[in-house]
Amino acid sequence: MCGIIGYTGPLEAKDVLLKGLAGLEYRGYDSAGIAYFNQDSQVRSIKKVGKVAALRECVKSTCEISHCGIGHTRWATHGGVTDANAHPHSCGQVTLIHNGIIENYAKLKKVLEKKGYEFVSETDTEVLAHLLSEYYNGNPAETIQKVMQRVEGSYALGIMFLDHPNHIYAARKDSPLIVGASKEGNLIASDVPAILRYTRNVYYMENEELVCLSREHIRFYNIDGEPLEKTPVTIEWD
């Protein structure tokens, strides 16, 4: 298994992400990584084989301020345990994390390689990053919908687009993903313990739904781009 965390809001995102990943360590993993928008609206990625503690030491070396980012703990499936195979993965405007397995990734990878895309990892996740970049038209939601219609398998995705700073987009199919609403920002996660210190108000995403998070808003859509109204659930347990 592996874990997902994402945050956008007024707090220091790197700290929120690392604490969220620590809350997911029970799921088992072999590498961890984060990506975030810095104060210049550029995306920085830091990833490391080993425990979250090792990643935390790497993050300490940066003094950049961040208020939006995504994080991931990986259990190797496609490709070995290496820094290159750790999440997040990036291509062009796109940086993403992924839980699940893309069953038709080899077919998609061949198509993308013929178009000139070069791969630096052995993962099915990097295929998603390149495919999103190939389809990107300036509208993140429309682009994600197109990719959701092309891929086969299971996924929970956390995605950032370089030209949409401080926004997180997420989608799911057959892999758990929740959204947390807080006065201190909004979050995504693969499980409640990652975000329980920040909020008890949680939305459970259903299959083939996507969401856009900013500091102020949470907007849900179906795979056809139609807006959805969802009701949050209050988590009563600790």
Side-chain angles (χ1 to χ4, degrees):
M1 294 192 292
C2 41
I4 280 177
I5 180 71
Y7 169 78
T8 180
L11 303 179
E12 171 52 60
K14 297 192 298 294
D15 184 55
V16 175
L17 297 176
L18 289 169
K19 288 178 179 177
L21 292 179
L24 294 170
E25 287 192 292
Y26 72 93
R27 296 171 67 89
Y29 66 103
D30 50 48
S31 60
I34 64 171
Y36 57 88
F37 284 101
N38 66 13
Q39 60 268 34
D40 298 319
S41 295
Q42 298 298 307
V43 174
R44 300 285 188 245
S45 292
I46 305 172
K47 47 190 185 177
K48 184 72 174 176
V49 166
K51 297 300 182 182
V52 171
L55 175 65
R56 187 183 296 275
E57 289 301 311
C58 293
V59 173
K60 281 183 180 179
S61 64
T62 175
C63 298
E64 294 179 312
I65 297 170
S66 60
H67 295 293
C68 178
I70 52 179
H72 189 267
T73 51
R74 174 182 186 252
W75 187 263
T77 52
H78 296 87
V81 183
T82 67
D83 289 349
N85 287 336
H87 299 206
H89 290 280
S90 299
C91 179
Q93 295 274 340
V94 179
T95 299
L96 86 158
I97 51 179
H98 164 227
N99 283 358
I101 295 178
I102 304 303
E103 296 171 359
N104 62 335
Y105 86 99
K107 179 181 178 181
L108 293 171
K109 185 174 182 178
K110 289 180 180 179
V111 172
L112 290 164
E113 286 176 329
K114 289 180 179 178
K115 291 178 177 288
Y117 288 91
E118 298 181 359
F119 290 78
V120 298
S121 79
E122 306 165 275
T123 66
D124 57 338
T125 301
E126 191 184 1
V127 173
L128 290 173
H130 288 278
L131 192 62
L132 284 161
S133 183
E134 169 68 13
Y135 283 150
Y136 190 51
N137 61 359
N139 186 317
E142 287 184 3
T143 302
I144 295 168
Q145 291 156 21
K146 289 180 181 179
V147 169
M148 291 170 71
Q149 293 166 358
R150 284 292 307 276
V151 299
E152 300 170 5
S154 61
Y155 53 80
L157 305 176
I159 312 166
M160 299 192 304
F161 292 83
L162 184 60
D163 58 349
H164 286 74
N166 299 317
H167 286 71
I168 296 172
Y169 294 82
R172 80 160 291 241
K173 179 176 179 287
D174 298 330
S175 190
L177 192 64
I178 62 172
V179 175
S182 165
K183 294 180 180 179
E184 296 182 319
N186 296 313
L187 307 102
I188 61 168
S190 49
D191 203 356
V192 171
I195 63 174
L196 198 53
R197 71 175 66 214
Y198 301 104
T199 184
R200 292 179 177 273
N201 297 318
V202 170
Y203 299 88
Y204 288 93
M205 292 186 66
E206 302 297 333
N207 270 347
E208 298 188 326
E209 290 183 352
L210 62 119
V211 63
C212 171
L213 281 70
S214 68
R215 182 182 299 197
E216 299 86 7
H217 303 293
I218 300 175
R219 295 188 172 98
F220 294 95
Y221 304 90
N222 63 21
I223 195 173
D224 297 316
E226 299 167 334
L228 298 173
E229 294 291 334
K230 296 180 73 68
T231 301
V233 174
T234 301
I235 303 300
E236 302 290 351
W237 48 269
D238 294 320

